[in-house]
Amino acid sequence: MNDKLIIASKSYNSRLLVGTGKYKDFTETKAAVETSGAEIITIAIRRSNIGQNPNEPSLLEILPPSKYTLLPNTAGCYSAEDAVRTLRLARELLDGHSLVKLEVLGDPQSLYPNVIETIAAAKTLVAEGFQVMVYTSDDPIIARQLEDIGCVAIMPLASLIGSGMGILNPWNLQLIMERVQVPVIVDAGVGTASDAAIAMELGCDGVLMNTAIAGAQQPVLMASAMKQAVEAGRSAYLAGRMPKKLYSASPSSPTAGIINSTRS
Amino acid sequence: MKVINVSINGTTRQLPDSTGVAALIEEMGLTGKRIALERNGEIVPRSLFAAQQLADGDKLEVVVAVGGG
């Protein structure tokens, strides 16, 4: 079946995007990412440690840009200025790579997005030629504004980052999908496989997650579960589910040819 | 020997006057590694590391890619 996810004119087979944080070591990171089947993986940009052992392998040696589409993020940024600065450094680090994940956070307790700063950063980044996949609230009006600015994917939260609370407001996600043309990717809040399946059944174009996999007891097994859930949810969406009915007046088995009751 | 004070990732260090960016990167063990460098808020492309000399009061940020979500 030809059912590709297309972001900024590039097509992907996998609709699962994964983060690379919170794993116990690079071996586990690599195994989980490979098992997930994800083609787009997020990375963070941080100060190099002066005391770091320079001979230790780096993340990009484990997950090379030749094999994956790297999506540098702005996690930890609380202003448009910091987010833009971080992504300019990311572009230099990745030899001019322009696809990025913008997130500007509002406070450290909730990690809820600050949409005012997000919009400001998106305008600057789009003007500088970045292809911006943007983490945002599930506000359909803001989502539309971010599309109008030129973002290449809208990534609303399903619930708070790292919370694992699942899809708390499917109605708002649907309102967003009705209003924007670019891919809508649920980013944040997925806790287990059924959450990912629900997001895909709603018609989301993809799901981005990190903690749901890295925070599982067995991350690699959960990566496999998420891969299957995203695929199953997508297929169910394309298949078109049966309508929900409180009572069913149409049994699954034929009504003709039932043997006669001996009671009457 | 004259020294200059340079802030590297938030820590101030004293370096010999006329230390080059490339020499500092070498000393940090980062030569050939995937890094990006910002000097006083401006990106310094890797191709210019050899040509740039540090000045007293410079603020550098040297970043790498790490795991993140």
Side-chain angles (χ1 to χ4, degrees):
Chain A
M1 187 172 58
N2 185 22
D3 176 41
K4 309 269 192 195
L5 170 63
I6 297 170
I7 300 171
S9 309
K10 195 175 168 195
S11 67
Y12 302 90
N13 292 309
S14 173
R15 290 175 179 273
L16 174 58
L17 294 71
V18 299
T20 55
K22 299 184 178 174
Y23 289 100
K24 74 169 192 264
D25 54 34
F26 279 158
T27 306
E28 190 179 74
T29 311
K30 185 169 191 276
V33 169
E34 283 178 354
T35 303
S36 75
E39 296 163 278
I40 302 176
I41 60 174
T42 63
I43 58 170
I45 303 297
R46 290 291 178 270
R47 285 172 163 175
S48 80
N49 281 330
I50 293 158
Q52 218 166 31
N53 176 1
N55 297 319
E56 276 174 17
S58 74
L59 181 72
L60 299 189
E61 287 163 15
I62 307 294
L63 301 168
S66 56
K67 192 172 170 193
Y68 296 97
T69 296
L70 299 177
L71 193 61
N73 71 22
T74 59
C77 291
Y78 289 85
S79 70
E81 187 189 353
D82 285 348
V84 168
R85 222 177 130 198
T86 300
L87 292 177
R88 285 178 185 148
L89 282 164
R91 181 155 67 177
E92 170 65 18
L93 185 83
L94 297 172
D95 307 320
H97 171 94
S98 61
L99 188 71
V100 296
K101 171 180 164 177
L102 171 65
E103 60 179 293
V104 187
L105 304 174
D107 76 45
Q109 287 76 40
S110 69
L111 302 179
Y112 201 83
N114 179 331
V115 295
I116 294 168
E117 292 292 311
T118 301
I119 285 172
K123 284 179 180 166
T124 304
L125 291 166
V126 169
E128 292 185 12
F130 285 92
Q131 295 173 320
V132 181
M133 298 175 68
V134 60
Y135 171 65
T136 183
S137 66
D138 62 1
D139 180 332
I141 307 304
I142 297 294
R144 181 65 194 275
Q145 287 184 13
L146 288 164
E147 179 182 42
D148 289 345
I149 288 167
C151 293
V152 299
I154 305 300
M155 305 204 290
L157 51 75
S159 46
L160 297 179
I161 292 175
S163 71
M165 291 286 283
I167 315 294
L168 295 187
N169 196 340
W171 311 108
N172 269 37
L173 295 178
Q174 282 185 337
L175 290 176
I176 291 173
M177 285 182 279
E178 284 170 12
R179 278 162 180 74
V180 308
Q181 305 299 311
V182 295
V184 174
I185 294 168
V186 158
D187 182 1
V190 165
T192 188
S194 53
D195 298 333
I198 288 168
M200 296 309 294
E201 287 172 11
L202 286 170
C204 293
D205 297 281
V207 181
L208 196 167
M209 65 182 74
N210 192 152
T211 314
I213 297 175
Q217 297 295 311
Q218 294 186 55
V220 179
L221 186 56
M222 187 58 90
S224 169
M226 290 300 186
K227 177 177 194 281
Q228 296 173 69
V230 167
E231 289 171 359
R234 178 66 182 175
S235 295
Y237 168 72
L238 293 174
R241 62 153 298 152
M242 62 161 282
K244 286 182 182 175
K245 290 171 285 188
L246 187 54
Y247 292 102
S248 169
S250 66
S252 301
S253 304
T255 48
I258 297 174
I259 58 169
N260 279 331
S261 170
T262 53
R263 291 211 189 150
S264 58
Chain B
M1 186 178 63
K2 198 183 163 206
V3 295
I4 52 173
N5 288 304
V6 175
S7 166
I8 304 163
N9 290 345
T11 305
T12 301
R13 287 186 54 190
Q14 292 200 324
L15 297 171
D17 192 16
S18 76
T19 298
V21 171
L24 176 67
I25 295 301
E26 172 80 46
E27 194 225 322
M28 290 172 76
L30 294 172
T31 302
K33 302 274 180 187
R34 265 193 188 271
I35 59 163
L37 186 143
E38 192 191 75
R39 180 185 182 193
N40 303 327
E42 299 289 330
I43 304 257
V44 180
R46 269 172 278 174
S47 57
L48 296 182
F49 283 2
Q52 289 218 2
Q53 288 207 345
L54 297 171
D56 191 48
D58 272 353
K59 286 187 168 51
L60 304 182
E61 293 288 344
V62 184
V63 299
V64 296
V66 301

